[in-house]
Amino acid sequence: MDKKVNKGQNMEQAAVWLLKSLLCAYIISGILLLLLAFLLYKLNLDEGKVAAGIIMIYVVSTFAGGFIIGKLAGVRKFLWGLTCGILYFGLLLLVSIGIYRSLQGNGANVLTTFLLCAGGGMLGGMVS
């Protein structure tokens, strides 16, 4: 009986870890996107530089989320980081579909974004 209760507590703890790391990742995303918008306004950046900045923001944010969950979990850090990156992408995709009512870009862009988010989270978990 204790094993079932303990397992339930571990699942709740893991869910809290994931929420904390995702919240941190999205806060970092928001701050970096505001900084990018400011730079766009002041420096009149071209489309290529803005796209590169957005990609960098995805990777840095998921790296931070993976790093945090890796520190919290302590074991199987890369899997926790990968999970954080995948959940970050999933929520990003849901928000995008909710706002635009369709996917922006083609399948290759969506796949690339998924790989960047998953890889950034996994790398953050491995480094932690």
Side-chain angles (χ1 to χ4, degrees), residues 3-17 80:
K3 289 182 182 181
K4 288 183 181 180
V5 171
N6 193 16
K7 190 172 185 174
Q9 289 174 345
N10 288 341
M11 294 293 284
E12 289 175 13
Q13 189 177 27
V16 170
W17 291 342
W80 284 108

Side-chain angles (χ1 to χ4, degrees), residues 12-93:
E12 289 175 13
Q13 189 177 27
V16 170
W17 291 342
L18 278 170
L19 289 175
K20 284 181 181 180
S21 63
L22 284 172
L23 180 63
C24 180
Y26 278 109
I27 288 172
I28 290 171
S29 292
I31 291 169
L32 291 177
L33 284 171
L34 284 173
L35 179 64
L36 183 63
F38 178 75
L39 291 174
L40 177 62
Y41 174 71
K42 287 293 185 182
L43 302 177
N44 291 332
L45 300 175
D46 62 359
E47 188 176 336
K49 290 179 183 172
V50 172
I54 291 171
I55 289 170
M56 182 209 61
I57 289 169
Y58 289 156
V59 174
V60 168
S61 298
T62 55
F63 179 87
F67 186 84
I68 289 170
I69 198 162
K71 285 289 186 187
L72 291 172
V75 293
R76 296 184 182 157
K77 297 176 182 184
F78 73 98
L79 285 176
W80 284 108
L82 178 66
T83 303
C84 180
I86 290 171
L87 290 175
Y88 179 93
F89 171 78
L91 191 55
L92 190 70
L93 189 67

